[in-house]
Amino acid sequence: MSQPFQAEPPPPDLDIVSRVVTGNIVVSVTGEVDTEAAPKLHAVVTTAIDDTGSACVLDLTTVDFLDSAGLATLITADAYAETHGKSLRIAVDSNSPVIRPIEITGLDIVLKLYHTVDDALHASNRPPRSER
């Protein structure tokens, strides 16, 4: 007997909220970005990139765990934005669980990182965190 289709709930340790701020979409993430959560984050970020006029800001300042699947999601989302002529700006502040793996892997040179969401939103005339 077949069971009715049920949408998969988001991973229990992940909360993602999207909002529009000054014409850009800000995706705020709280919790753990791991192997289980990465596909959900990827889907939300690529949708936000599709829906924004120019920039999507990914707020990771309240993420308390980021593993290799999360790093891969950042790389693929950044490439996706670039191929669509848009910008993915990532707010990480000094959030050690997030910035440490980004710096260890050298992705701080590749990704557009900012200290705050506000910095990322007003980045048109300012260099990203990695260039300061």
Side-chain angles (χ1 to χ4, degrees):
M1 180 176 225
S2 68
Q3 296 194 20
F5 173 77
Q6 291 182 341
E8 273 190 54
D13 295 327
L14 182 72
D15 185 37
I16 303 173
V17 176
S18 297
R19 65 189 193 283
V20 177
V21 179
T22 63
N24 297 301
I25 296 181
V26 176
V27 177
S28 299
V29 183
T30 302
E32 299 179 1
V33 181
D34 57 12
T35 304
E36 185 180 353
K40 172 70 175 170
L41 178 60
H42 185 266
V44 171
V45 172
T46 54
T47 297
I49 291 166
D50 288 341
D51 293 346
T52 191
S54 61
C56 174
V57 175
L58 180 57
D59 179 6
L60 301 180
T61 58
T62 57
V63 168
D64 48 65
F65 180 77
L66 180 72
D67 72 0
S68 60
L71 291 170
T73 298
L74 298 181
I75 295 165
T76 57
D78 185 63
Y80 183 85
E82 193 170 310
T83 61
H84 289 82
K86 299 180 183 181
S87 175
L88 177 64
R89 302 173 186 164
I90 304 170
V92 293
D93 194 24
S94 59
N95 184 351
S96 178
V98 174
I99 194 61
R100 187 151 171 78
I102 289 173
E103 289 175 340
I104 288 171
T105 56
L107 292 176
D108 56 329
I109 296 167
V110 177
L111 300 172
K112 295 164 202 72
L113 304 177
Y114 300 87
H115 289 287
T116 67
V117 170
D118 194 48
D119 285 348
L121 286 168
H122 298 96
S124 60
N125 297 322
R126 298 207 307 230
R129 179 179 184 268
S130 60
E131 293 177 12
R132 290 186 193 166

